[in-house]
Amino acid sequence: MKLFKTQQELKKKLEGYSSKVIGFVPTMGALHKGHVSLIRKAKKESDIVVCSIFVNPTQFNESTDFENYPVTHDEDIKLLEKAGCDILYIPESVQDVYSNEKPIEVNLGSLAEVMEGANRPGHFDGVVQVVSVLFDIVKPNKAFFGLKDFQQYCIIKKMVAELKLDIEIVGCPIIREDSGLAMSSRNILLSKKEKVDALIISETLKFLQKEIKAGEISDLLNTCKEKLSAKSELEYLTVADLNSLQSLEVLEKGAIYRAFVVSRLGNVRLIDNIEIFV
Ligand code: AMP
């Protein structure tokens, strides 16, 4: 695996691969098996796999979250080597990423106004900004995103469509620990007790998935919210339409939806979601 610290050197290297299928996995580092699954999928579906590790300041709406974000470059490099990544970009500075930025305007519509868009003002503007800049540097044919951040995946697909970019956005399943906890870079910030309490998130999503029926869902949602609030500080739990991501109160038989949750354990904000068949 070759490591590049400047976009100039990276671009020069990538020029040599213009006839190859380039698969790209953007990350913020502190890598785990969830990230590795994206690299493996990219490896299967592309000739050259490029990964980036960049904790993008413009997508954080809480300065403490940004300051506390784990950085584990040495371990990340070992993990990526083992997973078969070909090229890694760890920019030496924030300026290196944004030095050639071309301002873009993307109409994300209501997709960015719900859930993470409503609760983390400016977050998706930062995500769209960094992903469009990274796409411009790497010029991938395919880019791989985890469905753990389902709303982000929908927004990147919308961005690519709006900007008419010729990039296939591939969604990859959520990787969980044996306990059910969705893998996350932020999990290493949890205390032992918080990590046990955090299981309420995946357990409640599974319970919701099992119990949900067509019709009104407010009673079931309230039960689930109580379960979550007993062990964590619930931000939101909602069942939404797969395309518009709008919250729903009444479900139709035979349809597929998705349930989304964000809850905090101490200072750590955890996000998860699950597919719902009615
Ligand atoms: P991050 O480093 O948190 O920005 O994540 C980089 C990419 O890895 C994003 O596309 C995430 O959705 C994805 N990802 C993070 N955790 C998981 C997981 N547990 N399973 C699958 N994908 C994940």
Side-chain angles (χ1 to χ4, degrees):
M1 182 175 72
K2 286 249 176 328
L3 168 63
F4 295 91
K5 294 190 171 170
T6 66
Q7 61 158 289
Q8 206 191 354
E9 289 167 312
L10 172 67
K11 278 178 172 165
K12 214 169 142 216
K13 175 77 183 173
L14 288 172
E15 273 167 18
Y17 294 126
S18 55
S19 60
K20 303 273 186 198
V21 175
I22 296 182
F24 180 41
V25 180
T27 81
M28 297 204 298
L31 303 182
H32 49 67
K33 287 181 187 155
H35 298 109
V36 170
S37 75
L38 269 57
I39 299 284
R40 293 238 158 92
K41 184 137 174 107
K43 187 101 191 132
K44 272 197 202 132
E45 297 195 11
S46 358
D47 300 320
I48 301 291
V49 177
V50 181
C51 177
S52 62
I53 295 180
F54 176 54
V55 185
N56 172 39
T58 71
Q59 73 189 69
F60 284 81
N61 57 315
E62 288 176 26
S63 55
T64 47
D65 188 24
F66 176 62
E67 283 150 20
N68 293 335
Y69 202 84
V71 176
T72 59
H73 287 175
D74 291 348
E75 288 85 346
D76 292 351
I77 290 169
K78 282 185 207 143
L79 217 65
L80 288 171
E81 293 260 18
K82 221 174 132 202
C85 180
D86 299 296
I87 292 177
L88 172 61
Y89 174 44
I90 307 184
E92 62 187 11
S93 64
V94 174
Q95 295 88 289
D96 187 66
V97 174
Y98 290 118
S99 55
N100 290 325
E101 187 187 359
K102 301 173 199 134
I104 54 147
E105 223 168 89
V106 190
N107 179 12
L108 297 173
S110 54
L111 273 186
E113 286 163 13
V114 294
M115 299 191 290
E116 295 302 272
N119 284 33
R120 300 184 68 187
H123 169 63
F124 286 126
D125 295 334
V127 169
V128 162
Q129 181 189 27
V130 74
V131 173
S132 64
V133 167
L134 291 171
F135 279 0
D136 198 44
I137 297 171
V138 176
K139 303 211 176 351
N141 303 92
K142 300 179 178 206
F144 298 80
F145 287 85
L147 298 185
K148 171 160 177 287
D149 301 288
F150 192 87
Q151 191 176 8
Q152 170 174 277
Y153 160 73
C154 296
I155 281 177
I156 298 301
K157 281 213 300 193
K158 171 97 175 160
M159 177 191 101
V160 162
E162 287 281 312
L163 298 176
K164 299 190 172 53
L165 302 176
D166 189 13
I167 302 172
E168 184 190 340
I169 302 302
V170 183
C172 307
I174 303 174
I175 305 298
R176 299 178 179 280
E177 297 197 4
D178 291 342
S179 64
L181 180 66
M183 292 205 178
S184 163
S185 304
R186 290 184 174 90
N187 288 354
I188 49 181
L189 302 171
L190 295 168
S191 70
K192 253 191 183 163
K193 179 178 183 303
E194 286 166 347
K195 201 163 177 188
V196 173
D197 286 345
L199 297 182
I200 194 64
I201 296 174
S202 52
E203 283 168 7
T204 307
L205 284 177
K206 273 192 217 134
F207 173 79
L208 180 67
Q209 187 189 49
K210 193 164 137 265
E211 296 297 323
I212 210 149
K213 302 204 169 50
E216 270 272 350
I217 57 167
S218 56
D219 286 350
L220 178 60
L221 276 183
N222 284 338
T223 306
C224 291
K225 284 178 186 173
E226 275 171 30
K227 283 176 184 286
L228 285 158
S229 300
K231 293 274 171 78
S232 64
E233 202 185 313
L234 178 63
E235 238 178 62
Y236 62 81
L237 170 70
T238 186
V239 174
D241 179 84
L242 275 185
N243 297 310
S244 71
L245 301 185
Q246 297 299 310
S247 283
L248 299 166
E249 279 156 19
V250 179
L251 305 187
E252 280 169 31
K253 184 117 194 97
I256 300 176
Y257 303 94
R258 216 153 176 113
F260 298 88
V261 62
V262 166
S263 213
R264 284 179 195 257
L265 281 295
N267 293 324
V268 186
R269 188 175 185 274
L270 297 179
I271 185 167
D272 200 353
N273 69 79
I274 202 163
E275 194 166 54
I276 302 279
F277 309 91
V278 182

